[in-house]
Structure formats: structure tokens, C-alpha cells
Amino acid sequence: AQTVTQSQPEMSVQEAETVTLSCTYDTSESDYYLFWYKQPPSRQMILVIRQEAYKQQNATENRFSVNFQKAAKSFSLKISDSQLGDAAMYFCAYLETSGSRLTFGEGTQLTVNP
Amino acid sequence: EAGVVQSPRYKIIEKKQPVAFWCNPISGHNTLYWYLQNLGQGPELLIRYENEEAVDDSQLPKDRFSAERLKGVDSTLKIQPAELGDSAVYLCASSFPGGGLAGGRNTGELFFGEGSRLTVL
């Protein structure tokens, strides 16, 4: 079974600084999708960024980018120019290409200090 | 366009009582998910529907949990009887068919509701 591990339960960053959240996963599949989801205190989970495993280029979405290392099974999220609104729980997630089950990591609670 | 709607947002019950949660997915999303999220943890899948069919319910504790999705739209998740350990947030999500990976419209993205927080006393 696939597993997703986030080794940082909590992280903090100063406003306008850069922070990197770590994620590793375990799979025997060669093709899959990886995601970072954000869950603010209101609890509605929203997608931050998505990476297809067959693509070598790292995904970017404005201030959010990933460092996808397929051989190392690593998928970190970099948040640049951190804003107060970035404070939330961030979940790394894995989806096999059959689309059958989205597996989440344990989450990283990000605090942004003014 | 309305997002995934869940109700109630909060529910407090005594143990051994029944409870039900309702979910209305995004229009056009044939796939519906119920996730359980314990405090400080990532969501765990309880059940996944493709239209009316439950295609993955291997994680659903069937002795006390049940779910239905009549007419392939709204869904309800029921717990009877509730136990102290059932206190958690129950998340509903929806997506295009197959988890969103087949076909040009799909992105693999799940759209979540705000969740229903259950407290069992």
C-alpha cells in the first residue's frame, strides 16, 4: 500500500520569507499524481499544487512550487514571499493513476509570523 | 458555482445515539468520497462512490457505519450507534469520474466540503 510521510508536524516562517515543507512517499507504481492541499482553520481543504509523476518539470503556481525527486520519492513544497493567509495545515497526498484512492500524509501545521 | 455542501457543520451526541451526515456534491461530479479526519491527522477514506455504486468501502466499519447515495447525487453517512472514538470531522469530497484522471476534463483534484464535526460524549 502507498504511504505518505510528512516529517514536520509544525513549521513557522516570517512573513515575506520562504519556507519548504517536506514530503516523502512510498509506491511501486511508476505513474501517479502528487498533490499539496491546504486546510485553513475553516477546514475546507483546497488544492495548492499538483504534479504528474511522468513530468520531469517541477510544477509551479505563483508563489508555490515543488521539488519533485522521483528516484528519491520526495515531493517538497516551497512557499515564497509567505503571507499571513498562508497559515494553515498543509497535506501532501498521493493518487495512483487508476484514480482509486487519494492517500494523505499526516500534515504540517504552518504558522506565519508577522 | 456552489461547492460541496455538508450538513450539519457541528453535531454533539451522547454515545450509543445515532447520527447522520449529509453531502451535496458539485453538480456534474459523479464521484463522491467520505473521509474521516481525526484531530491533527490527515483524512482517511471511508467510502468512494461512482454514481450510485460504492466502489471502495474497504475502510468503512460496516458494523456501525453505513452510507448511501441514492440517485447518484446527494449522499448520507450514518453512524449507529456512535462511540466515543467516533469523535472526528467527517469530510465529503467530489470529483470527476475515476478520481479525475481519465479524460481531458480531469485533473486529479478533489473538491472538499467544510466537514461535519462530530463530538460524542
Side-chain angles (χ1 to χ4, degrees):
Chain A
Q2 290 80 11
T3 58
V4 179
T5 302
Q6 294 178 248
S7 59
Q8 306 156 315
E10 298 178 349
M11 290 285 285
S12 63
V13 63
Q14 290 297 125
E15 195 175 3
E17 297 296 310
T18 296
V19 64
T20 299
L21 309 184
S22 301
C23 173
T24 59
Y25 58 95
D26 184 27
T27 183
S28 59
E29 302 292 325
S30 60
D31 197 13
Y32 46 86
Y33 283 60
L34 295 165
F35 305 84
W36 279 97
Y37 278 86
K38 171 185 177 180
Q39 189 175 42
S42 67
R43 306 205 70 84
Q44 187 164 30
M45 192 101 63
I46 57 174
L47 180 67
V48 174
I49 197 165
R50 177 184 65 252
Q51 174 79 41
E52 293 94 332
Y54 67 89
K55 291 186 176 179
Q56 293 185 342
Q57 186 174 7
N58 289 323
T60 62
E61 287 287 343
N62 300 313
R63 298 182 296 106
F64 298 87
S65 62
V66 299
N67 183 4
F68 173 48
Q69 301 291 326
K70 191 172 184 179
K73 296 181 182 176
S74 171
F75 182 62
S76 61
L77 173 70
K78 185 171 80 171
I79 305 174
S80 303
D81 185 24
S82 296
Q83 300 175 2
L84 295 178
D86 295 334
M89 182 74 87
Y90 285 81
F91 291 98
C92 178
Y94 168 98
L95 183 65
E96 57 193 33
T97 53
S98 65
S100 63
R101 184 177 297 188
L102 187 65
T103 301
F104 287 88
E106 305 93 329
T108 296
Q109 181 66 52
L110 178 66
T111 300
V112 181
N113 300 309
Chain B
E1 179 180 336
V4 176
V5 179
Q6 291 188 246
S7 68
R9 287 293 311 280
Y10 304 92
K11 188 73 175 180
I12 302 174
I13 61 172
E14 299 282 336
K15 63 180 180 181
K16 301 185 180 180
Q17 294 299 306
V19 63
F21 305 111
W22 173 81
C23 173
N24 177 243
I26 291 174
S27 178
H29 284 189
N30 295 339
T31 307
L32 183 145
Y33 313 75
W34 283 102
Y35 279 87
L36 165 68
Q37 186 176 25
N38 288 306
L39 184 64
Q41 298 183 21
E44 299 174 13
L45 181 69
L46 288 172
I47 189 168
R48 175 171 69 97
Y49 281 94
E50 296 287 351
N51 298 305
E52 300 91 350
E53 182 182 1
V55 296
D56 184 355
D57 63 356
S58 58
Q59 302 289 86
L60 189 72
K62 298 180 181 65
D63 57 335
R64 298 182 301 105
F65 286 66
S66 65
E68 62 181 11
R69 192 184 184 196
L70 301 177
K71 301 181 180 179
V73 181
D74 295 358
S75 177
T76 56
L77 176 69
K78 298 178 181 178
I79 308 173
Q80 182 172 11
E83 297 179 352
L84 295 177
D86 296 331
S87 296
V89 176
Y90 293 84
L91 297 171
C92 180
S94 69
S95 73
F96 290 112
L101 294 180
R105 298 177 65 198
N106 294 323
T107 64
E109 179 178 0
L110 270 62
F111 295 81
F112 286 84
E114 293 182 305
S116 295
R117 180 184 293 276
L118 173 65
T119 301
V120 182
L121 303 176

